[in-house]
Amino acid sequence: MSTLGTPTPLATVEETIPDAGARRRAGRTVKIRGSRPGWVVYGILSVVFLTGVFPLYWSFIIGSGDASSLRRPFSWVPGGNFWDNALAVMNNPAVNFWPALWNSIYSSFLIAAAVVITSTLAGWAFAKLRFHGGPALLVFVVATMAVPQQLGVVPLYILFSELGWTGQIGAIIIPALTSAFGVFWMTQYLRQAVPDELIEAARVDGASMIRTFWTVGVTAARPAAAMLFLFTFVGAWNNFFWPFIVLDRQNPTLPVALSLLQSNYFVDYSIVLAGVILATIPLLLLFIFAGKQLVSGIMAGAVKG
């Protein structure tokens, strides 16, 4: 036993506590092993990556060849005709590529922005405001996601036909200004990300509900809003069913315009898949430029101070 004022040696302490040094060294070892993923994680990620990239690479191989690219023997090396095929798509008078590209960009951006705005407002109301019938109304909104889109096509087409909007780009924008999934997404996020005490503090300081929503809710909702914008933009960009019904060949979106490449008796799949690659490039650019901001926003929203 050590005397008063004399520090006990570390070895003596470890002797009095059974296996203290071993447990301390074992804890360090476990921490080092858990700091980096193993080969299993890298293997799974590699398989997922290759599975996602393969269809795009296969499309590029066919799109860079000619009409005989699918015949045997098949080559996995891209050809040198991609730009010729791409120009054939752009210059095809039946496709109207550039007006269709602008219609897709214009409509997808407006739909995504409108969905983010309406979903954030509704999500804030469902998550942080108390009113009669709120939970039941949220259940009703979520239940609408179970209704197939095909059930509303006929009455929706009749409505826009009576309004004279068939063939107009607004016919695909107006029905998509709100999203039940977006409302549910923002409700769940704001319910967890914004504590009630923060709202009460803002109200005590004299902030109105609109000011509280703008300064507290919008700031907290940015990561979820960014992801919702990306998902909605991609969904609106790839939407084919309703635009194919309500739009005409003179004013199509890009997926509808590219479908016209297969309307001939002989289908040149090198031209078709070159058009597919052209339609995919804007989405790839969106992920490249916005991916880092989206990931950083998600990580920032996941950290709670």
Side-chain angles (χ1 to χ4, degrees):
M1 181 179 297
S2 61
T3 59
L4 184 63
T6 304
T8 304
L10 181 59
T12 306
V13 175
E14 293 185 353
E15 289 177 359
T16 57
I17 303 177
D19 298 330
R23 285 185 294 176
R24 177 162 52 85
R25 290 189 296 270
R28 289 179 180 177
T29 304
V30 171
K31 183 177 180 181
I32 293 175
R33 288 180 179 176
S35 61
R36 296 185 61 184
W39 62 271
V40 177
V41 176
Y42 284 112
I44 295 175
L45 292 178
S46 300
V47 171
V48 172
F49 174 77
L50 293 176
T51 304
V53 171
F54 175 76
L56 185 62
Y57 180 71
W58 186 85
S59 300
F60 181 74
I61 291 176
I62 304 300
S64 61
D66 51 22
S68 61
S69 297
L70 291 176
R71 299 175 183 175
R72 295 180 181 273
F74 183 79
S75 176
W76 291 99
V77 179
N81 299 326
F82 177 77
W83 293 115
D84 294 335
N85 296 334
L87 289 176
V89 174
M90 297 177 187
N91 298 328
N92 192 329
V95 174
N96 293 325
F97 179 82
W98 295 111
L101 177 63
W102 168 248
N103 286 338
S104 291
I105 295 175
Y106 174 74
S107 60
S108 299
F109 180 83
L110 286 184
I111 290 172
V115 166
V116 168
I117 294 173
T118 56
S119 299
T120 305
L121 287 169
W124 176 263
F126 283 124
K128 295 303 174 182
L129 301 184
R130 302 294 180 264
F131 56 93
H132 294 290
L137 184 58
L138 178 61
V139 172
F140 175 78
V141 171
V142 175
T144 59
M145 291 190 294
V147 180
Q149 180 187 6
Q150 291 79 3
L151 293 181
V153 167
V154 174
L156 198 60
Y157 184 84
I158 295 175
L159 174 62
F160 283 113
S161 179
E162 293 293 334
L163 295 175
W165 285 9
T166 55
Q168 303 291 330
I169 197 66
I172 66 173
I173 296 177
I174 300 300
L177 292 180
T178 59
S179 169
F181 171 77
V183 173
F184 176 74
W185 172 278
M186 298 305 299
T187 300
Q188 294 301 109
Y189 184 86
L190 290 172
R191 185 173 292 169
Q192 299 294 329
V194 181
D196 295 335
E197 293 78 9
L198 188 60
I199 300 177
E200 294 174 359
R203 299 302 299 273
V204 169
D205 290 339
S208 63
M209 182 53 64
I210 299 298
R211 180 65 182 274
T212 303
F213 167 74
W214 182 256
T215 57
V216 178
V218 173
T219 302
R222 285 178 181 175
M227 291 301 301
L228 179 61
F229 182 91
L230 179 62
F231 292 156
T232 307
F233 187 93
V234 174
W237 182 277
N238 294 327
N239 188 19
F240 175 79
F241 182 68
W242 175 242
F244 179 76
I245 294 176
V246 75
L247 298 180
D248 51 32
R249 293 189 176 185
Q250 285 70 35
N251 194 32
T253 57
L254 197 55
V256 176
L258 294 179
S259 68
L260 301 177
L261 294 172
Q262 305 183 58
S263 60
N264 298 326
Y265 178 78
F266 171 74
V267 179
D268 189 347
Y269 285 100
S270 61
I271 303 294
V272 173
L273 291 179
V276 171
I277 295 296
L278 292 178
T280 309
I281 288 176
L283 296 181
L284 294 177
L285 294 177
L286 178 63
F287 276 95
I288 290 174
F289 288 105
K292 184 176 181 180
Q293 287 76 10
L294 290 173
V295 172
S296 61
I298 294 173
M299 298 303 297
V303 176
K304 296 183 178 180

